[in-house]
Amino acid sequence: MGTGVGTAAASSRRPILALVPRIRSRAVTALGILLLGLVAFWLVENAVHDIGQFGLVTLNGITNGSIYALVAIGYTLVYGILELINFAHGDVFSWGAMIAYSVAISWLGADNHSGIELFGILAVALLCAGAFCATLNVAVERVAYRRLRNAPRLAPLITAIGMSFVLSNAIAVVYGFNYVSSEPLLSRRALFTIEGQSYGWDKLIVLLITVPTLMSLMVVVKRTRWGKAMRATAQNRDAARLMGIDVDRAIAFAFGIGGALAGIGGFVYLVYFTQGRFDLGFQIGLFAFTAAVLGGIGNILGAALGGYLIGFIENYNSGLTWHAPGPSWTESLIFILLILILVFRPHGLLGEELSTRS
Amino acid sequence: MTAELLVDARAIRKEFGGLVACNDIDFTVERGAIVSLIGPNGAGKTTFFNMLTGAYTPTSGEIVFDGRDIVGLPQHKITALGIGRTFQNIRLFGAMTALENVLVGMHSRLRSGLFRSLARTPLQRREEKDGRAQARELLAYCGLSPRAEQQYARHLAYGDQRRVEVARALATNPKLLLLDEPTAGMNPKETIAFVDFVRKAREERGLTVLLIEHDMRVVVEVSERVTVLDYGEKIAEGTPDEVTADERVRSAYLGTKPVS
């Protein structure tokens, strides 16, 4: 008798219990929409308040975001193919900035040139930084990671952290612990001005370099033989070998591409901020890694998207005036967003395509 | 003599720790033949495949393929020499289209190196265009409808995934095609069609085919020679009729005859 009552009660309770997860997921969705709505409202209100400033801050967001995007792709490429977080990547980026400094300023004296000569010098510096970082990243893989490919995951991870210290300290040895800096390379003369706020060549060049770079990257990865080999290796290493792909070279290719992008990012950073130091890559690397995770690690488009997203957060937060939390909150906000994404969408914004790993 | 034999494996032995997965097996495949490798689960068939493709290195013994000793060569070089295979559990590149899967298979036949890939030279573009045309042809040859070409491999129906896998293996331009349980999961009609396809491909593309197969009807129907493995030992070899009549084979498959 007693048991009978018990089962009846349990069965009548069950439908309600079954509703709980559904209600919870609805509540989460509603909260998410509310949050997005608030952010949108805040942005619109700021835009209405001071459209000139809003436009400029947006452009700054694109500029900073470009740098994060370039670096983030290197993290995502390597993770996609080796499932390794290459902590040394931020420091490869630092090397890019320093090499660009050496070539453009110490060696070719870019700060004393203008016009077509300056353009030529910058082009040389860009190529040098890209080539150097590609080589450096490939070398890091060859020396530090290749032998550990079948080791437990923790081993290459620790090695990556070690490699990060080695690379940043090497910069300190070569360039010292202080900032290297120069006069602005490109005239800060405004290309156009919005209500007293100017947008100049120093920002435009970032876009002029980043956008074509990202577009050609997509072509290389999608269409070319080695791009396909790299994707095949990331998706199924055994099958890739059977297709006649030299897996070691495909992995080196991923490191090379990632390194070249980091080098280009370093160059862009130097041209934009005109300074560099051995620990440059720490914060940028952290933001870029966050960007890669936000976008869905392993997904190239996602990494670029995440990079721009972080660029926007950083600049809207520190640049807008109407009820903005202010620059000291930037990092907190970025990592709060990261936590939210990891909790509610663990595979990242565009991460679904990755989950086909069989 | 070697010209007649495409595969000449002598005293192949593979040990995993104390377990002997292949115990000094001699195995030959004549050029242009269709040969089946059969045996109960765990008999060492897939291990043998893996040694042919270079995934495993034999503990001892030598494998001569097309007049070259291939033991110890890296897998991608063996593929380039002309051994292609399919897997028992299909292993396509899921996030690539059917067409891209086949293009990846052409990797070792194409020449564009790292730098040409980056620079997209005219040669690279032409190669890519030709490659696409060939890949389409191969997919059609294997019976995939043109509509499925642009779909992600993971979205394809099971039968189509098998077709893409065979097309991808053919794209490596193999002399020897290894098929690991190709008819698993096929219905009888599809199985018959597949048997016809294997024969046709052998004739038209000058292939030599080695298959692992459980379906005895397929084995008897398609193969000219059969090798039977059991617990890493070769227990019989010969024509399908000889092998199916063999007492040891029957007992390996059906258990020993109860004493009555």
Side-chain angles (χ1 to χ4, degrees), chain A residues 103-123:
Chain A
V103 172
I105 292 158
S106 308
W107 182 37
L108 295 170
D111 37 358
N112 297 321
H113 290 81
S114 60
I116 193 80
E117 284 175 4
L118 178 65
F119 178 78
I121 289 171
L122 291 182

Side-chain angles (χ1 to χ4, degrees), chain A residues 90-91 93-94 98 167-169 171-172 176-179 269 276-285:
Chain A
D91 303 286
F93 161 81
S94 308
M98 301 316 262
L167 291 183
S168 67
N169 283 314
I171 296 180
F177 284 98
N178 295 320
Y179 276 106
Y269 181 93
R277 198 170 66 171
F278 71 101
D279 62 350
L280 197 66
F282 181 73
Q283 201 204 14
I284 303 257

